[in-house]
């Protein structure tokens, strides 16, 4: 029997570490937390804040196995992750196991899963850091108090299933406030003027108008540009509207005035200097999440999942399981001396000695960073991306390459640019041209830091790109330049952009909201609760999100205040450092919280019962309609309820809904636009019983239902066309029979589009799956067919399910790989490459572009 028991968090980690320690150690996985606060009660003494922890129901078997293993062990090593959560897991494990064993407990910490790091950690075991445990416990109790006290209030005032959280509610507020900034934004017109100039030597270049009479010039309207052109001896010859643009968007053609001497352009000042651009530090968690989103398009949760796998280890040929990166939840840019020496040696051998700076680069560590941690980096320079590519998935390899390149670049020479600024006089006007030439690439040979799309778009509009050559000809002061053309351009100010995952993480980080390890969960929570939705890659608040946010801001302004939440995070850091008793922090929070909670119980708007008068009459009884909030948003209801139960959906799917921030009083009259829906007007008959169809609203939006319900349950999906008209297609019967009940099959309209199913639904629930033509590679019997997850995501699985559970996310293509003879390819779509067919077999990199001819073939 093994003398020592080692407990880690995951089976993958256990498998890797077991190979390093040998037969005298037994490595088990706790599968994360084993105890927590109970689910169905607060679980916290509100006087002493003593938590009432209970074993997690789904971990009973795991705990029993760990207790059995602990009984025969002489020593128990707790090796969870090196952060607050990991420390808390170790403490809970010790609390659960110490009554069943006489073994000594030790805490071991390592930032990478390599043989050297593991053996060093076991040579220097330590005690559990109780201050870290208390910081985690304080955070957990804070979150429990907020969630368990406020959520029931939202259930009572709005509807069940809603939740509030100490950090998630602040993130929601940030998104809602940005959305309101966008709604309130007033677009302003402005102009710019550039001159295309030549000096006699190549290349020609452009200069931008920046000043008049030594003062910065603002061109706010077309009249301003006309005045400048006139002063330069030019005029507007014609104006054209911009296609697919705003009504007032125009382009202008200009030319020099005939018979008027044009103003000469002369070089007034030449400034030339060298500019050095330093590399960014190696990744911390938040920067990895941001760069992964910008460069690779990965969601925060996907990035962390991939990084977890790279940290825990992957099989690398004959070398066995290797942890490829250091711990991925860190806010420290510190790097060990050994790792710095190794990367500097690698840079010298790969890029030349001139690429290595004289001294190693040291980066400032943030005040709140945990010094014991390192930055995210490769564990060894012996595993470059090309070497490990055959053993990683495509996504893992792309993320590993990003981490590798950033780390290597962080210890390379700076990039050097020759920068030139030219001031050019034209009468009272001053134009400026900026030139930049890369002299020494330095770290840019390896890595370029990504920028947000919004910043990039702004730079493109202004003609700015620090890493791009903009050459100017040799110029001297007093030299006269030849003006080839003037280029006036109309612009319109843009509202602030909606947050993407990358910019939201950046906003949370800059404001001290949450910690990098919690960002993925924050985003998942507010998205999963339907408080926000994604339009493309951008977050926008839903009607429900606005409502919950407004109620929280009105009643719990402190809790959802960005500054207050950031201070709470700082207090948790102080607890971890041992500078603040954890109960003191909780007591201070509870004082204010209880006052706000009592006030909210009495004064928070009761949205469930709130009825706001409108100017609309009920079409059944003639009484006035009122605006109410229901399970699926705002709707109109008859004020004569319950005598009259008439309801009406808001026009355009709720587009005319009232801003919740303005509903301070139920007595406030609200005008509601309610156009007659074409479907209601035509009173289409039900194809089964002939009764008229009526418009209803359900969980997934509007739909047509038979007025004969519940005797007839016919429904049709409603879609809104581009011109705002509602359309509903009736089922189309097919000649094909249902294999289960012999009724005819029909083409129906579902939540995710057309599908084929039995016409006798709901008596028969047979649905015909769309086949791809590819035989299941796992069982060889079934066909790979289209399927949908509970959240509506398309995936592909075997038609023999549940006997065969083979699934894939990419669409299979019935074409044999010409390189490795795999019986099928898969489809991949990217912005850069478009549609491609690729082979995902190991050691096969076959890729082919998809054209119309390819598909026909």
């Amino acid at each position: 029997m093994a003398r020592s028991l080692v407990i880690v968090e995951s089976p993958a980690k256990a498998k890797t570490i077991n190979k390093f320690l040998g037969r005298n150690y037994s490595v088990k996985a706790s599968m994360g937390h084993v105890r927590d606060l109970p689910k169905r009660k607060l679980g916290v003494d509100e006087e002493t804040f003593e938590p009432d922890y209970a074993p997690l129901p789904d971990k009973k078997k795991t705990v029993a196995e760990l207790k059995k293993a602990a009984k025969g062990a002489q020593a128990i090593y707790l090796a969870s992750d090196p952060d607050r959560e990991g420390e808390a897991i170790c403490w809970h494990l010790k609390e659960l196991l110490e009554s069943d064993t006489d073994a000594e407990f030790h805490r071991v910490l390592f930032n990478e899963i390599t043989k050297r790091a593991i053996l060093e950690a076991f040579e220097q075991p330590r005690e559990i850091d109780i201050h870290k445990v208390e910081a985690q416990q304080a955070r957990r109790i804070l979150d429990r108090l907020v969630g368990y006290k406020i959520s029931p209030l939202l259930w009572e005032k709005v509807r069940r299933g809603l939740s509030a959280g100490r950090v998630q509610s602040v993130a929601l507020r940030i998104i809602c406030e940005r959305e309101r900034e966008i709604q309130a934004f007033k677009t302003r017109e402005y102009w710019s003027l550039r001159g295309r100039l030549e000096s006699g030597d190549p290349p020609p270049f452009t200069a931008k108008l920046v000043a008049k009479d030594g003062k910065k010039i603002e061109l706010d309207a077309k009249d301003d540009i006309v005045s400048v052109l006139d002063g330069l001896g030019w005029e507007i010859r014609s104006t054209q509207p911009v296609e697919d643009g705003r009504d007032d968007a125009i382009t202008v053609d200009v030319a020099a005035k005939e018979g008027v001497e044009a103003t000469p352009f002369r070089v007034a000042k030449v400034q030339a200097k060298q500019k050095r651009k330093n590399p960014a530090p190696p990744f911390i968690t938040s920067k990895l999440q941001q760069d992964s989103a910008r460069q690779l398009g990965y969601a925060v949760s996907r990035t962390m999942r991939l990084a977890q796998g790279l940290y825990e280890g992957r099989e690398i040929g004959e070398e066995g399981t290797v942890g490829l990166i250091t711990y991925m939840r860190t806010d420290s840019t510190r790097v060990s001396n050994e790792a710095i020496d190794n990367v500097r040696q690698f840079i010298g051998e790969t890029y030349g000695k001139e690429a290595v700076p004289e001294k190693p680069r040291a980066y400032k560590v943030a005040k709140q960073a945990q010094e014991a941690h390192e930055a995210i980096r490769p564990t060894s320079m012996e595993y470059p991306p090309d070497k490990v590519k055959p053993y990683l998935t495509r996504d893992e390899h792309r993320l590993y390459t990003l981490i590798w390149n950033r780390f290597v670049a962080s210890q390379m020479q700076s990039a050097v640019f020759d920068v030139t600024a030219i001031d050019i006089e034209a009468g009272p006007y001053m134009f400026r041209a900026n030139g930049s030439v890369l002299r020494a690439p330095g770290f840019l040979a390896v890595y370029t830091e990504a920028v947000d799309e919004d910043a990039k778009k702004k730079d493109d509009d202004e003609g700015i790109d620090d890493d791009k050559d903009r050459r100017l000809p040799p110029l001297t002061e007093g030299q006269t330049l030849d003006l080839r053309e003037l280029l006036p351009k109309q612009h319109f100010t843009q509202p602030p952009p909606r947050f993407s995952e990358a910019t939201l993480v950046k906003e949370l980080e800059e404001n001290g909201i949450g910690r990098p390890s919690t960002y993925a969960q924050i985003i998942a929570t507010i998205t999963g609760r339907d408080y926000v939705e994604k339009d493309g890659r951008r977050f926008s608040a839903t009607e429900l999100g606005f409502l919950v946010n407004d109620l929280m801001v009105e009643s719990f302004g402190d809790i959802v205040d960005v500054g207050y939440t950031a201070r709470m995070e700082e207090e948790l850091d102080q607890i971890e450092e041992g500078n603040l008793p954890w109960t003191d922090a909780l007591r201070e929070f509870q004082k204010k919280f209880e006052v706000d909670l009592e006030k909210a119980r009495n004064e928070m708007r009761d949205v469930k019962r709130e009825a706001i008068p409108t100017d609309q009459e009920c079409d059944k009884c003639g009484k006035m309609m009122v605006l109410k909030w229901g399970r699926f948003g705002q709707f109109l209801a008859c004020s004569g309820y319950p005598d009259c139960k008439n309801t009406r959906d808001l026009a355009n799917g709720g587009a005319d809904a009232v801003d919740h921030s303005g509903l301070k009083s139920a007595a406030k009259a609200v005008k509601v636009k309610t156009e007659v829906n074409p479907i209601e007007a035509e009173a289409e008959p039900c194809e089964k019983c002939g009764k008229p169809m009526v418009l209803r609203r359900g969980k997934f939006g509007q739909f047509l239902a038979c007025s004969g319900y519940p005797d007839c349950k016919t429904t049709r999906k409603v879609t809104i066309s581009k011109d705002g008209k509602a359309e509903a297609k009736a089922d189309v019967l097919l000649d094909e029979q249902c294999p289960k009940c012999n009724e005819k099959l029909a083409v129906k309209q579902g939540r995710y589009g057309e599908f084929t199913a039995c016409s006798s639904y709901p008596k028969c629930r047979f649905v015909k799956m769309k086949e791809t033509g590819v035989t299941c590679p796992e069982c060889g019997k079934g066909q790979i067919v289209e399927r949908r997850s509970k959240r509506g995501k398309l995936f592909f699985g075997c038609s023999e399910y549940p006997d065969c559970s083979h699934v894939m996310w990419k669409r299979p293509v019935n074409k044999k790989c010409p390189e490795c003879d795999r019986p099928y390819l898969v489809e991949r779509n990217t912005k850069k490459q478009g549609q491609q067919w690729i082979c995902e077999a190991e050691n096969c990199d076959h890729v082919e572009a998809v054209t119309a001819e390819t598909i026909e073939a």
Side-chain angles (χ1 to χ4, degrees):
M1 182 178 287
R3 294 200 303 262
S4 298
L5 172 65
V6 181
I7 305 176
V8 297
E9 285 173 282
S10 73
K13 199 171 170 183
K15 181 182 175 184
T16 306
I17 291 173
N18 201 37
K19 292 181 179 180
F20 299 147
L21 294 177
R23 63 179 64 182
N24 287 331
Y25 293 85
S26 172
V27 186
K28 302 285 186 182
S30 71
M31 312 296 289
H33 280 277
V34 291
R35 291 201 313 177
D36 196 5
L37 297 173
K39 275 194 173 182
R40 300 191 179 279
K41 61 177 182 176
L42 183 64
V44 178
D45 186 310
E46 295 186 64
E47 294 293 326
T48 64
F49 303 111
E50 190 68 28
D52 178 21
Y53 290 117
L56 293 169
D58 60 341
K59 295 294 178 67
K60 285 182 179 178
K61 184 178 178 183
T62 302
V63 170
E65 289 174 354
L66 291 175
K67 284 188 173 186
K68 183 178 178 182
K71 282 181 181 178
Q74 293 180 5
I76 298 175
Y77 292 88
L78 305 170
S80 296
D81 289 341
D83 56 15
R84 286 179 195 163
E85 292 298 319
E87 209 71 21
I89 289 171
C90 291
W91 182 78
H92 284 295
L93 285 167
K94 183 180 178 183
E95 291 285 303
L96 277 175
L97 301 179
E98 62 185 351
S99 61
D100 295 279
T101 180
D102 296 325
E104 285 189 42
F105 286 82
H106 305 283
R107 172 72 164 121
V108 287
L109 289 168
F110 41 84
N111 287 306
E112 58 187 72
I113 303 178
T114 59
K115 187 172 184 178
R116 176 191 56 78
I118 298 301
L119 295 181
E120 281 182 7
F122 276 79
E123 286 173 6
Q124 299 174 342
R126 59 184 72 184
E127 297 296 318
I128 291 172
D129 186 341
I130 196 62
H131 294 310
K132 269 189 180 180
V133 176
E134 288 173 346
Q136 188 276 343
Q137 184 167 264
R139 182 201 61 77
R140 185 72 187 91
I141 292 173
L142 276 172
D143 291 346
R144 175 55 66 98
L145 288 172
V146 172
Y148 265 57
K149 297 278 189 174
I150 299 180
S151 296
L153 199 57
L154 292 176
W155 298 354
E156 179 190 338
K157 305 289 186 181
V158 186
R159 67 171 169 83
R160 290 191 67 82
L162 301 182
S163 72
R166 186 179 58 86
V167 179
Q168 76 177 52
S169 296
V170 182
L172 174 61
R173 181 178 186 177
I174 289 171
I175 293 171
C176 288
E177 288 183 349
R178 174 60 57 88
E179 195 68 28
R180 288 204 166 113
E181 280 182 61
I182 294 169
Q183 292 168 359
F185 185 81
K186 304 291 184 188
T187 299
R188 182 178 60 82
E189 177 188 9
Y190 70 99
W191 288 73
S192 65
L193 180 64
R194 294 179 184 275
R196 192 180 300 280
L197 301 160
E198 290 183 358
S199 67
D201 295 314
F205 63 99
T206 61
K208 183 182 177 182
L209 175 66
V210 293
K212 179 183 180 182
D213 297 326
K215 295 180 180 178
K216 184 179 177 182
I217 190 169
E218 300 285 350
L219 304 174
D220 295 325
K222 182 182 172 184
D223 289 345
D224 296 329
I225 206 77
V226 169
S227 175
V228 173
L229 291 172
D230 185 63
L232 295 171
W234 285 59
E235 63 183 354
I236 294 176
R237 289 284 175 85
S238 64
T239 302
Q240 298 87 29
V242 176
E243 291 184 14
D244 301 324
R246 295 164 50 103
D247 292 340
D248 53 350
I250 58 172
T251 59
V252 295
D253 291 330
V254 300
K257 290 181 179 180
E258 294 180 7
V260 176
E261 186 177 347
T263 305
F265 280 64
R266 292 189 182 90
V267 177
K269 189 177 180 182
V270 178
Q271 279 187 314
K273 61 181 180 180
Q274 273 199 346
K275 175 187 169 186
R276 300 176 72 83
K277 184 174 182 179
N278 296 324
F283 281 127
I284 60 175
T285 305
S286 59
K287 299 301 183 190
L288 175 63
Q289 291 167 348
Q290 291 169 49
D291 241 34
S292 176
R294 292 168 185 149
Q295 295 205 38
L296 308 179
Y298 294 167
V300 170
S301 56
R302 184 180 181 187
T303 297
M304 296 308 291
R305 186 171 62 251
L306 293 169
Q308 181 85 35
L310 294 172
Y311 165 68
E312 291 181 344
R314 289 290 178 261
E315 290 286 340
I316 308 296
E318 295 178 358
E319 298 177 50
T321 306
V322 176
L324 291 172
I325 65 170
T326 52
Y327 188 54
M328 65 285 160
R329 293 186 184 92
T330 176
D331 48 10
S332 172
T333 54
R334 188 184 72 82
V335 176
S336 69
N337 293 332
E338 182 183 354
I340 289 175
D341 292 341
N342 290 339
V343 72
R344 283 170 61 85
Q345 182 181 343
F346 172 84
I347 293 167
E349 292 172 355
T350 307
Y351 301 101
K353 291 183 179 179
E354 65 280 2
V356 185
E358 186 178 339
K359 294 181 179 178
R361 291 188 181 275
Y363 294 95
K364 186 177 179 182
V365 178
K367 180 183 174 184
Q368 75 276 10
Q370 300 182 53
E371 276 289 349
H373 288 184
E374 282 195 57
I376 303 170
R377 61 168 177 81
T379 56
S380 170
M381 302 312 293
E382 294 178 9
Y383 301 107
D386 288 346
K387 181 178 179 180
V388 299
K389 185 177 181 180
Y391 310 104
L392 303 179
T393 66
R394 178 176 175 273
D395 288 352
E396 287 173 337
H397 180 256
R398 293 180 76 200
L399 188 68
Y400 181 65
T401 302
L402 190 69
I403 294 168
W404 175 280
N405 289 346
R406 173 94 166 208
F407 177 59
V408 171
S410 72
Q411 288 298 326
M412 291 182 72
Q413 286 281 17
S414 302
V416 180
F417 295 85
D418 286 342
V419 178
T420 308
I422 312 291
D423 286 349
I424 301 161
E425 287 180 342
Y429 300 105
M430 179 71 73
F431 287 74
R432 181 163 295 145
N434 293 305
S436 176
V437 178
L438 181 64
R439 284 296 172 211
F443 75 93
L444 291 177
V446 176
Y447 176 83
T448 303
E449 189 172 11
V451 295
D452 295 324
E453 289 178 20
D454 313 310
K456 187 176 186 304
K457 185 177 184 300
K458 184 179 178 182
D459 288 349
D460 288 345
D461 288 344
E462 298 294 326
I464 299 170
D465 189 342
D466 286 342
D467 300 336
K468 190 175 180 181
D469 277 4
R470 300 188 308 279
R471 294 180 178 273
L472 294 175
L475 298 170
T476 57
E477 292 182 7
Q479 182 177 352
T480 300
L481 302 173
D482 185 15
L483 176 64
R484 306 306 296 172
E485 61 178 327
L486 285 173
L487 304 167
K489 187 176 181 182
Q490 183 190 39
H491 307 268
F492 294 93
T493 55
Q494 298 297 313
R498 290 188 174 98
F499 288 107
S500 62
E501 287 209 4
T503 55
L504 181 60
V505 166
K506 184 179 178 182
E507 186 80 7
L508 293 171
E509 180 190 29
E510 288 178 349
N511 285 288
I513 306 301
R515 283 292 176 260
S517 58
T518 65
Y519 294 153
Q521 186 56 45
I522 292 169
I523 292 171
T525 301
I526 59 178
T527 306
R529 296 288 182 188
D530 293 327
Y531 294 161
V532 301
E533 59 189 8
K534 270 191 172 182
D535 183 6
R537 291 187 178 180
R538 302 283 175 167
F539 291 110
S540 60
T542 62
E543 193 180 356
L544 178 62
F546 274 124
L547 175 63
V548 171
N549 175 67
D550 291 339
L551 293 175
M552 289 293 294
V553 171
E554 288 167 15
S555 301
F556 301 97
D558 279 349
I559 289 178
V560 293
D561 178 69
V562 170
Y564 180 79
T565 306
R567 287 195 299 276
M568 286 302 304
E569 294 293 342
E570 290 173 2
E571 288 191 4
L572 293 176
D573 291 338
Q574 289 179 31
I575 294 169
E576 182 173 336
E577 292 162 7
N579 298 327
L580 177 67
W582 67 279
T583 51
D584 287 1
L586 289 173
R587 196 163 284 112
E588 183 186 345
F589 167 82
Q590 191 187 42
K591 257 184 223 175
K592 179 77 173 67
F593 180 56
E594 287 297 336
V595 173
D596 290 345
L597 192 64
E598 188 58 36
K599 187 178 178 183
R601 286 182 180 127
N602 297 321
E603 298 180 12
M604 182 182 279
R605 287 187 294 122
D606 193 338
V607 179
K608 269 186 184 178
R609 297 166 184 82
E610 194 171 51
I612 302 169
T614 73
D615 61 349
Q616 301 296 311
E617 280 190 8
C618 173
D619 51 351
K620 290 190 176 179
C621 72
K623 290 185 178 179
M624 301 307 291
M625 303 290 278
V626 292
L627 192 65
K628 300 195 79 173
W629 177 270
R631 186 180 176 192
F632 307 117
Q634 287 179 319
F635 68 99
L636 288 172
C638 181
S639 58
Y641 181 86
D643 297 327
C644 178
K645 297 181 180 179
N646 186 27
T647 61
R648 196 185 305 164
D649 202 19
L650 288 177
N652 303 322
D656 297 298
V658 180
D659 182 0
H660 294 288
S661 61
L663 304 186
K664 302 288 184 184
S665 167
K668 180 177 178 181
V670 180
K671 252 192 166 184
V672 182
K673 180 183 176 185
T674 52
E675 297 172 355
V676 176
N677 191 296
I679 296 175
E680 290 180 301
E682 293 171 12
E684 294 186 12
C686 169
E687 61 266 27
K688 288 189 177 179
C689 71
K691 291 184 179 179
M693 302 290 281
V694 292
L695 192 65
R696 301 286 186 199
R697 185 178 181 85
K699 184 178 180 181
F700 306 118
Q702 293 178 322
F703 67 98
L704 278 183
C706 181
S707 57
Y709 179 86
D711 297 326
C712 179
K713 297 180 180 178
T714 303
T715 60
R716 294 185 210 160
K717 183 186 177 185
V718 172
T719 57
I720 307 298
S721 63
K722 290 183 179 179
D723 57 2
K725 289 185 178 179
E727 301 171 344
K729 294 181 181 178
D731 293 352
V732 179
L733 291 176
L734 303 175
D735 292 333
E736 190 177 350
Q737 286 186 318
C738 172
K740 288 192 173 181
C741 69
N742 292 325
E743 292 287 336
K744 286 189 175 183
L745 294 181
V747 177
K748 294 174 171 284
Q749 302 295 318
R751 183 182 173 193
Y752 304 110
E754 285 188 347
F755 68 100
T756 303
C758 184
S759 59
S760 65
Y761 177 89
K763 289 181 180 178
C764 176
R765 296 177 179 268
F766 172 77
V767 176
K768 184 180 179 182
M769 301 293 187
K770 287 185 181 178
E771 295 184 352
T772 61
V774 175
T775 303
C776 177
E778 191 167 314
C779 70
K781 297 178 183 177
Q783 290 284 314
I784 299 298
V785 296
E786 285 188 10
R787 297 174 66 186
R788 294 260 178 197
S789 69
K790 287 183 179 179
R791 292 188 174 271
K793 190 171 182 181
L794 182 69
F795 71 98
F796 303 88
C798 182
S799 59
E800 294 295 305
Y801 178 84
D803 295 332
C804 176
S805 57
H806 178 76
V807 294
M808 58 179 70
W809 288 110
K810 293 188 178 78
R811 181 184 293 276
V813 179
N814 191 16
K815 181 179 180 182
K816 184 183 287 188
C817 175
E819 293 184 27
C820 71
D821 289 336
R822 196 183 196 190
Y824 65 92
L825 300 175
V826 294
E827 187 179 290
R828 180 175 72 189
N829 288 282
T830 64
K831 284 186 178 179
K832 286 186 178 179
Q833 306 297 334
Q835 189 178 7
Q836 295 176 315
W837 289 346
I838 65 171
C839 181
E840 289 192 319
E842 285 188 25
N843 304 319
C844 183
D845 295 323
H846 176 73
V847 178
E848 58 183 79
V850 178
T851 62
E853 291 77 13
T854 311
I855 295 171
E856 286 176 11

